[in-house]
Amino acid sequence: MNTYKTYADRGKNHPNACARSLFELMERKQSNLSVAVDVTSKKELLSIADAVGPYICLLKTHIDIVEDFDMDLVEQLQALSKKHDFLIFEDRKFADIGNTVKHQYANGVYKIASWSHITNAHTVPGDGIIKGLAEIGLPLGRGLLLLAEMSSKGTLAKGNYTTESVEMARHHKDFVIGFIAQHKMNSYDEEDFIVMSPGVGLDVKGDGLGQQYRTPHEVIVESGGDIIIVGRGIYGNPDQVEAQAKRYREAGWNAYLERTRLHQH
């Protein structure tokens, strides 16, 4: 089962170039931490990205909540991605028919495909959404994540919906590199989907708005997730951003080392 191999081994054999470079980066930086920077100003986004940059493999953005967005923000994010060696994941959650998402991904104000290594989509519209995004993303060497299940209370993305989403991914392995999910999605030896799990916290269990938190150990060792996504736990206290990023990077990496130890043959 690929889930239990080292990131380096998984990187060697992955069919998607974006996934290969992500695995290589994770091994190189010894990090499986993604920071979700859900802030509304350009200055704050860049400041947090610069502070957490050395400790993360992936910066997760919601570019459409930034009130003073401009293309200079994108250029500065790209520069930080090179400086600190991380990839960018625009958490756009596309959810429309293929022809529409194609334009949303390539064009409009944000031109997401031009700068974001990874993006994601809901499977509600069927696999036309994957085909539409792939037309734009594949030639650029991008990767797509599908939302197979969500961590919020009362979600409809579970059960049969999750199963069908995984089937869709299996038909598009050239472009779909994994899932936003709460546990491992690999069922067969030859497949290697990367699972990124939000709702990770070391200090709290919920936020009063339906978010439910789990520890890095629960996500990686017990559930077979690959990347932990942490938001407010890292940048919630502005004077502790770097210290918390270090702390979560270490917790995530130690959980990964424990998982590989447990599954060594």
Side-chain angles (χ1 to χ4, degrees):
M1 178 73 69
N2 283 315
T3 297
Y4 304 128
K5 292 179 180 169
T6 64
Y7 296 142
D9 282 348
R10 292 170 71 178
K12 280 183 200 132
N13 302 312
H14 208 282
N16 177 285
C18 181
R20 286 197 298 276
S21 51
L22 178 58
F23 277 132
E24 286 160 12
L25 190 160
M26 289 160 75
E27 192 72 47
R28 192 163 60 236
K29 281 183 88 172
Q30 303 204 336
S31 174
N32 51 19
L33 171 63
S34 170
V35 174
V37 194
D38 300 344
V39 294
T40 55
S41 81
K42 172 179 170 179
K43 186 180 171 212
E44 206 179 349
L45 175 51
L46 291 170
S47 154
I48 294 168
D50 200 18
V52 302
Y55 311 104
I56 64 174
C57 60
L58 195 60
L59 184 80
K60 185 172 89 69
T61 57
H62 278 297
I63 209 71
D64 58 359
I65 68 173
V66 179
E67 287 163 14
D68 50 351
F69 170 86
D70 56 13
M71 284 319 277
D72 175 65
L73 168 56
V74 165
E75 282 160 28
Q76 289 201 54
L77 280 176
Q78 288 176 306
L80 287 174
S81 147
K82 288 193 176 69
K83 173 184 168 186
H84 294 304
D85 191 22
F86 61 76
L87 298 186
I88 302 169
F89 163 27
E90 164 54 28
D91 189 0
R92 174 61 178 75
K93 298 188 177 75
F94 292 102
D96 218 314
I97 60 167
N99 190 54
T100 304
V101 296
K102 207 162 75 172
H103 294 298
Q104 290 173 325
Y105 189 27
N107 306 319
V109 178
Y110 303 113
K111 300 180 174 43
I112 292 163
S114 73
W115 53 269
S116 182
H117 304 95
I118 294 169
T119 190
N120 58 350
H122 286 293
T123 51
V124 172
D127 81 346
I129 190 170
I130 302 172
K131 290 174 183 160
L133 293 168
E135 272 183 38
I136 304 298
L138 262 183
L140 295 169
R142 305 306 190 201
L144 181 70
L145 301 169
L146 298 181
L147 284 115
E149 49 184 8
M150 295 185 74
S151 58
S152 46
K153 206 171 168 185
T155 178
L156 302 178
K158 59 187 179 185
N160 199 38
Y161 181 95
T162 304
T163 312
E164 300 251 348
S165 302
V166 179
E167 275 311 309
M168 269 185 223
R170 288 191 178 120
H171 293 126
H172 298 277
K173 280 189 197 161
D174 54 344
F175 188 48
V176 177
I177 63 171
F179 298 93
I180 301 291
Q182 296 298 307
H183 55 82
K184 78 175 174 64
M185 291 288 155
N186 291 327
S187 302
Y188 304 109
D189 284 345
E190 77 279 2
E191 64 189 10
D192 193 359
F193 294 118
I194 302 168
V195 169
M196 305 192 189
S197 300
V200 176
L202 285 165
D203 306 309
V204 287
K205 285 286 171 228
D207 70 352
L209 291 173
Q211 179 63 290
Q212 303 165 87
Y213 290 101
R214 297 182 302 155
T215 65
H217 185 275
E218 285 175 294
V219 168
I220 289 171
V221 181
E222 294 172 26
S223 300
D226 297 305
I227 289 177
I228 55 171
I229 300 175
V230 185
R232 290 164 283 185
I234 284 177
Y235 67 82
N237 290 326
D239 53 340
Q240 286 181 21
V241 174
E242 201 171 332
Q244 291 296 342
K246 279 183 186 169
R247 179 180 172 226
Y248 276 92
R249 186 208 67 80
E250 199 172 309
W253 194 254
N254 286 341
Y256 156 72
L257 292 176
E258 185 180 336
R259 180 172 85 188
T260 48
R261 270 199 309 274
L262 286 173
H263 294 278
Q264 271 172 348
H265 294 308

